[in-house]
């Protein structure tokens, strides 16, 4: 064993982790064996990241690691070392909501709002890669995020509306075009 | 049809008032509360289904480093429960555990990890008792009894009612149909796991933050369970990450953290894991039902006798109400001249069932609508015609004395049949594809509180001052349905101001007037009416003041666009804020209140209190299915739904409620199931929830959800605020039977049992191919001894809402005498 | 919140170091994406004292062309799905990978982890408290098998999606220890034993998956599960066929997933297909042979009876697709996604 120069973390000592969270460098000391979810919520007080199962079965804890949506409940905090992490708290820029956030707020994409942070980030990753996905691609990208409230339809519509707004870089919403507004 | 919408806020698509918080992660759910010096709590739960607790040894756990406190049943003086008639729960079980998951001890420690380690160190000695896994076992003569107070053995409650001579009508009917159905239990599965934080306050008071739908009922339960004056307990409902009825009971973990906070003088948090959420349950009761229904030659109903048997699980919960709800709403949809029902709820060693979206009415609605499909099929009548011919009349008083207001059901039926191309599809699609129709109705708020009192069901308070800002206080709880939005929109409409100029404070028993909670679809109507009253009172004060200023009559003062003006002389106008200043100058500090109490129900017979509602919503749905006949695999490409919600408050939210209901209905129809498992009896006495996990309890994903075509139909009801009725529960009901009916249309088999799975369809297809019934479903309804029914003649048979007989009821055994017990254990 | 048990964590610099730690530490396991191991640890089904991390090892993340294709064990399922070469030349593998779990889990989960995925059983994939309530089974902490109380072995189900596809394609895997390496056909990595489901020793690291040249071979993968996402297979059929001149089958390999503790090779069906053209009758016959090879037990979603019935149907779909039929509509209904 003495040949091994490998980095070892003992189960007892806290680990010091350096990473970027929402574009800012962060140094944090966490108990070993904590997940990224626990680190974000408990050590960095970023409670916008939710949890519904902690076993990879609901998607509520999704955040972006180096731009990719992953489940923070199954990601060791130790492995976030050197990574860039995005949570919902970082989506708004300079006090202005991201078009996805605007559209979700306007079009019923968030009902109880518990699945919302993870869904927003998942959609952001999708749009960052593919600016113009169709309904099936949105559906597929969100197939790892359970929502018990909406039935997903208003979520899809919110994403589609955000795509339009991103295209036109429009602010403000024309709510007259909201589907279902007829009686 | 709906009147022209002349409102400025109501009915307009608008960003919900709490929308921005929800999309930025700012909404503070219960588990997001982090307080200085906060400790964490975990519960030790029974791993045996039914047993006496011999002893609990907590000494090792107490000594475990990081542990601050270990509690057991002895630390809690009183029982509690949601209904006054079933105060049968203990915060931690004292003498007996009744299902796997019943809590027996609590550890409060530095962090969750340490608390969990300490749980392992607690030794509990159990003396196992026989277990009851289903109603058939519960009805056996000498089973181990779960509760002493049950009516008889493990029969919790039996109900029997007769509205007119049903047997006579059945004998005279052109046809009588008899059908038995089964609806498997299922659960709410809110994405947010229940969490609560107990915070000690000065002088022995305590604050409890909790993800509850009913802070007022939790308030009562905590005070009772801990022997505290209600004035010393404050309950704050955090926004719920989904509720669906799963957070309407007071829960043991809430009482435990309140107690621990008081004992340790530090904030205590508990957040359940997913498995524990399955143990809280209070979900849909498994219900076996038998319908005997008479119709005339046109298929119109002549009489119905419904019997239901509910598997209640281990505790009372809302169960007595649930039992009523499996029967009382049948007459609200179609005209039913005579009606009788019997309902029986039993105790079993499983997590307690309770209210889930559509509380108790979903199961019999499934049965009734499938039976109507069978009737239409046999009589060769189009199912839409059959239903249109007997839609109940607006303003009707039903056989069981429910007073109906507006009814938009016929239009709902017409709308979904048009939209779906029903006429070209029903019985006309190629084999393997089918359409099905079903309808339903639902309450807009229960007419009675869960405990008897003559006070308002909802109260609203308004505070206004020279800043122009209006603050509205109400005990209602935001669970995702948009109650904060309804509250603000209502006040904004009446005061003619921007919703964004209103702050709302809700769900806080210290700060807000009582509202009974977010259940039974009551909030929009009851809170809305209270808000209208409070806002109108404020408007009147301001109008008086403005009128003085203008030298005009108060009657001519109008409020709109954030301004107050004289309708006769438009140049006389001022900003709302200035008008408030005028009012403050005249009247001093401004505050108004409003409240709402439903009218007393017309049914005066005992039990007539369950079912009445200020208004009923109506829904019709057409579901399309495609079935692979070789495997039974079922796909739902589209659902058409039309819902009469009286008046749309915010179309975005209303449609969200309807589509969310369709989603949940489809989950129940196709895959969701709270199933339980026994192991071979000679090897194990285990009785466990089969799959208490998000992975194995199947909630449809984005890929499983069909396209939903929604129509909001507006038949304003006189009792609703601006005419509004409910939209959050009713639309779930027709989806399930419509799907079952579509399966029949597609492949000619009847699945009289929910969920409707590929396995069952294949089994039915096999049976049909062999010349069998082509049906999968329960074969019989057990023989049960029913009590003498309350006989209440329907209004058209000279009835006045009273029973004409006085049936003898066996007196239920007296509830466990808690004080006596406490003295015994304390000594 | 479900919490992980305590463990030591190593971040080795290369495979050799990883192998050394694995050999030197008691009760050590490698962790790749962690999407199987971490839930198992939270439920206390697996409680390694030491974790040896592979996530950051670039040498495991390469996809290289040789006579066939060599895929590093650390390649994520998402990377695999996004590889155009794999999509066209090894369609069955691509369809399998694209149907694993969810997009998020595919972003994390690796091919190596998927191949080594723990076998599953709904008496076992439960929290510690639940397993205590039924009394533990022999796969962990107990002595009995609750699925079949008379069984001497554990019958937990092989639930990996990529393995059946890889086996049908004739994949080999390379295993490395501190002292050397060996390459074996993938199907020899598996054993029909729910506990000792791999022939891999604890010290071995799966490094590479080697696929033969795909030219001339068509492959497909059909998966059955309750929902269009999240769920493990309750049944899957992987099939690869090389067609000869004239359209008859030159060589066929059909493999079933989720019906035993290992991927099941349907030799009789595969042999039956040799030299035959895929007519409707031939397909039905081969599908029936497949159904005969399947022996599902009652430890997944859906009843074993129905799963067994569904084998023939799914196998027929797979063969129809290989024949060139347009199966998109059927796919859409069963997989709930276009593949
Ligand atoms: C909700 C959910 C749904 C899922 N659905 C599916 C599904 O539908 N189909 C499916 O196939 N899987 C599914 N999975 C399982 C899992 O996500 C995938 O199998 C994934 O590919 C595992 O890869 P990993 O890298 O995350 O494995 P890890 O968890 O890192 O490892 C899994 C096992 O393999 C071992 N291992 C990993 N890499 C190596 C290596 N290089 N050498 C030797 N041993 C190694 C580990 O020690 C461990 O025992 C699901 C998981 C969850 C949580
Ligand atoms: S098959 Fe038997 S031994 Fe194996 S995990 Fe399941 S119950 Fe346990
Ligand atoms: S919390 Fe459910 S997937 Fe992470
Ligand atoms: S909005 Fe409530 S879970 Fe999605």
């Amino acid at each position: 064993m003495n040949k091994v120069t490998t980095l070892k973390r003992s189960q007892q000592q806290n680990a010091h982790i350096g990473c970027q969270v929402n574009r800012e460098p962060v140094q944090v000391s966490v108990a070993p064996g904590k997940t990224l979810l626990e680190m974000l919520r408990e050590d960095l007080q970023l409670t916008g990241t939710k949890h519904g199962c902690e076993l990879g079965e609901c998607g509520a804890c999704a955040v972006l690691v180096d731009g990719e949506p992953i489940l923070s409940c199954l990601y060791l905090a130790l492995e976030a070392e050197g990574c860039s992490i995005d949570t919902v708290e970082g989506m708004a820029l300079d006090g202005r909501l991201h078009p996805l956030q605007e559209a979700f707020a306007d079009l019923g994409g968030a009902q109880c709002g518990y699945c919302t942070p993870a869904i927003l980030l998942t959609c952001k990753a999708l749009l960052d890669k593919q600016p113009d996905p169709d309904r099936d691609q949105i559906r597929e990208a969100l197939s790892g995020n359970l929502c018990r409230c909406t039935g997903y339809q208003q979520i899809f519509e919110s994403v589609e509306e955000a795509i339009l707004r991103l295209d036109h870089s429009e602010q403000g919403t024309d709510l007259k075009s909201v589907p279902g507004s007829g009686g | 049809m709906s009147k022209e919408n002349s409102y400025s806020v109501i009915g307009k698509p608008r960003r919900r008032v709490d929308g921005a918080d929800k999309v930025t992660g700012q909404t503070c759910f219960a588990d997001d509360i982090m307080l200085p010096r906060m400790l964490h709590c975990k519960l030790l739960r029974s791993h045996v289904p039914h047993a006496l607790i011999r002893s609990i040894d907590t000494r090792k756990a107490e000594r475990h480093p990081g542990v601050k406190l270990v509690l057991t049943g002895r630390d809690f003086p009183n029982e509690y429960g949601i209904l006054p008639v079933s105060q049968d729960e203990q915060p931690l079980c004292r003498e007996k555990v009744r299902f796997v998951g019943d809590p027996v001890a609590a550890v409060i420690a530095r962090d969750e990890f340490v608390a969990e380690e300490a749980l392992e160190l607690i030794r509990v000695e159990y003396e196992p008792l026989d277990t009851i896994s289903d109603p058939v076992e519960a009805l056996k003569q000498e089973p181990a009894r779960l509760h002493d107070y049950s009516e008889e053995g493990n029969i919790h409650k039996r109900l029997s009612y007769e509205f007119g001579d049903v047997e006579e009508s059945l004998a005279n009917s052109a046809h009588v149909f008899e059908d038995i159905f089964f609806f498997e239990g299922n659960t709410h599965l809110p994405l947010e796991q229940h969490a609560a934080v107990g915070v000690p306050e000065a002088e022995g008071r305590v604050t409890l933050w909790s993800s509850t739908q009913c802070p007022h009922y939790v308030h009562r339960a905590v005070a009772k369970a801990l022997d505290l004056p209600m004035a010393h307990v404050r309950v704050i409902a955090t926004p719920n990450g989904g509720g669906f009825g799963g957070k309407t009971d007071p829960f043991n973990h809430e009482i435990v953290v309140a107690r621990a906070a008081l004992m340790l003088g530090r904030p205590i948090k508990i957040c359940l894991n997913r498995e524990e959420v399955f143990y809280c349950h209070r979900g849909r009761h498994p219900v076996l039902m038998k319908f005997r229904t008479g119709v005339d030659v046109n298929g119109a109903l002549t009489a119905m006798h419904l019997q239901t048997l509910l598997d209640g699980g281990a505790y009372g919960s809302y169960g007595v109400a649930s039992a009523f709800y499996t029967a009382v709403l049948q007459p609200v949809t179609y005209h039913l001249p005579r009606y009788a029902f019997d309902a029986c709820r039993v105790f079993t060693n499983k997590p307690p069932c309770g209210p889930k979206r559509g509380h108790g009415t979903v199961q019999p609605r499934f049965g009734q609508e499938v039976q109507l499909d069978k009737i239409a099929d046999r009589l060769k009548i189009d199912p839409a015609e059959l239903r249109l011919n007997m839609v109940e009349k607006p303003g009707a008083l039903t056989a069981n004395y429910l007073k109906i207001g507006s009814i938009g059901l016929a239009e709902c039926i017409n709308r979904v049949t048009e939209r779906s191309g029903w006429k070209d599809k029903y019985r006309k699609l190629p084999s393997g594809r089918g359409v099905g129709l079903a309808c339903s109705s639902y309450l807009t708020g229960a007419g009675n509180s869960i405990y008897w009192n003559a006070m308002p069901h909802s109260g609203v308070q308004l505070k206004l001052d020279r800043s122009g800002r209006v603050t509205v206080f109400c005990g209602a709880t935001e669970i995702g349905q948009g109650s904060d939005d309804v509250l603000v929109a209502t006040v904004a409409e009446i005061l003619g101001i921007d919703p964004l100029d209103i702050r709302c404070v809700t769900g806080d028993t210290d700060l807000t007037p009582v509202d009974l909670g977010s259940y039974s679809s009551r909030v929009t109507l009851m809170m809305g009416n209270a808000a209208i009253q409070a806002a109108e009172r404020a408007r009147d004060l301001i109008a008086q003041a403005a009128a003085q200023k203008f030298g005009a009559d108060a009657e001519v003062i109008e409020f709109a666009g954030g301004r107050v003006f004289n309708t006769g002389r438009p140049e006389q106008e001022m900003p709302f804020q200035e008008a408030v200043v005028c009012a403050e100058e005249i009247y001093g500090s401004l505050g108004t209140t409003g409240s709402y109490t439903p009218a007393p129900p017309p049914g005066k017979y005992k039990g007539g209190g369950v079912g009445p509602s200020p208004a009923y919503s109506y829904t019709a749905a057409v579901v399309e299915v495609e079935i692979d006949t070789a495997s039974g695999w079922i796909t739902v490409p589209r659902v058409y739904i039309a819902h009469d919600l009286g008046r749309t408050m915010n179309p975005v939210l209303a449609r969200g409620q309807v589509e969310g209901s369709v989603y949940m209905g489809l989950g129940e129809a196709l895959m969701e199931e709270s199933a339980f498992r026994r192991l071979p009896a000679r090897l194990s006495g285990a009785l466990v929830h089969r799959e208490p996990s998000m992975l194995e309890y199947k909630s449809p994903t984005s890929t499983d959800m069909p396209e939903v075509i929604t129509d909001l139909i507006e038949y304003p009801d006189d009792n609703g605020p601006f005419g509004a009725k409910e939209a959050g529960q009713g639309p779930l009901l027709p989806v399930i039977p419509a799907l079952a009916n579509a399966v029949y249309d597609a492949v000619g088999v009847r699945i009289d049992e929910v969920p409707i799975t590929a396995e069952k369809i294949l089994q039915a297809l096999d049976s049909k191919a062999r010349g069998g019934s082509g049906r999968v479903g329960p074969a019989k309804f057990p023989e049960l001894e029913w009590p003498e029914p309350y006989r209440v003649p329907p209004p058209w048979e000279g009835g006045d809402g009273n029973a004409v007989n006085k049936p003898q009821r066996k007196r239920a055994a007296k509830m466990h005498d808690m004080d006596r017990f406490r003295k015994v254990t304390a000594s | 919140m479900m919490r992980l048990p305590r463990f030591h964590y190593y971040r080795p610099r290369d495979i050799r170091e990883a192998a050394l730690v694995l050999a030197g530490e008691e009760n050590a396991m490698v962790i790749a994406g962690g999407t199987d191991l971490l839930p198992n640890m939270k439920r206390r089904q697996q409680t390694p004292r030491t974790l040896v991390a592979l996530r950051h090892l670039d040498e495991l993340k390469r996809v290289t062309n040789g006579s066939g294709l060599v895929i590093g064990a650390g390649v994520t399922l998402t990377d695999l799905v996004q590889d155009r070469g794999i999509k066209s030349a090894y369609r069955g593998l691509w369809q399998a990978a694209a149907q694993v779990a969810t997009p998020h889990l595919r972003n994390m989960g690796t091919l190596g982890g998927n191949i080594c995925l723990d076998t599953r059983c709904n008496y076992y994939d439960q929290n510690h408290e639940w397993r205590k309530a039924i009394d533990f089974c022999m796969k962990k902490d107990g002595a009995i098998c609750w699925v079949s109380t008379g069984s001497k072995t554990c019958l937990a189900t092989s639930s990996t999606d990529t393995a059946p596809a890889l086996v049908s394609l004739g994949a080999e895997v390379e295993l490395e220890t501190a002292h050397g390496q060996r390459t074996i056909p993938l199907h020899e990595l598996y054993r029909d034993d729910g506990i000792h489901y791999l022939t891999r020793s604890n010290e071995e690291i799966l490094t590479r998956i080697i696929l033969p040249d795909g030219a001339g071979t068509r492959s497909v993968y059909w998966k059955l599960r309750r929902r269009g996402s999240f769920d493990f297979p309750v049944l899957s059929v992987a099939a690869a066929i090389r067609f000869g001149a004239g359209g008859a089958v030159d060589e066929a390999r059909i493999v079933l997933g989720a019906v035993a503790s290992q991927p099941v090779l349907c030799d009789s069906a595969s042999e039956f297909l040799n030299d035959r053209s895929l007519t409707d009758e031939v397909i039905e016959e081969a599908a029936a042979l497949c159904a005969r090879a399947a022996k599902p037990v009652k430890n997944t979603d859906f009843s074993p009876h129905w799963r067994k019935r569904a084998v023939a149907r799914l196998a027929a779909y797979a063969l129809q697709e290989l024949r060139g039929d347009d199966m998109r509509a059927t796919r859409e209904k069963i997989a709930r996604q276009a593949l």
Side-chain angles (χ1 to χ4, degrees), chain B residues 397 401-403 446-448 452-454 457 596-604 608-609 611-614 719:
Chain B
L397 187 61
Y401 290 86
L402 302 183
K403 178 81 181 132
N448 287 292
W452 193 90
N453 72 82
H457 288 212
Y596 179 77
T597 314
K604 298 174 207 83
S613 172
N719 288 335

Side-chain angles (χ1 to χ4, degrees), chain C residues 45 145 258 336:
Chain C
Q45 294 157 265
C145 171
R336 313 222 188 276

Side-chain angles (χ1 to χ4, degrees), chain A residues 5-11 33 42 54 57 68-69 71 73-74 78-79 81 122 140 143-145, chain C residues 1-4 6-13 17 38 42 53 55 103-104 106-108 229-230:
Chain A
T5 52
T6 305
L7 171 75
K8 176 181 171 177
R9 296 288 184 200
S10 126
Q11 58 181 20
E42 294 164 4
E54 303 102 61
E57 302 173 352
E68 291 282 351
L71 300 178
C73 71
L74 298 185
L78 285 165
E79 303 205 328
E81 173 71 35
T122 304
E140 155 65 18
S143 62
N145 296 91
Chain C
M1 194 91 93
M2 301 279 293
R3 308 269 167 182
L4 285 166
R6 297 191 199 281
F7 54 86
H8 297 291
Y9 174 86
Y10 282 89
R11 187 205 291 253
R13 281 188 302 202
E17 258 191 22
L38 294 180
K42 288 186 176 182
R55 189 193 292 280
H104 305 77
R106 292 196 295 273
N107 285 342
M108 308 165 76
S229 180
F230 281 102

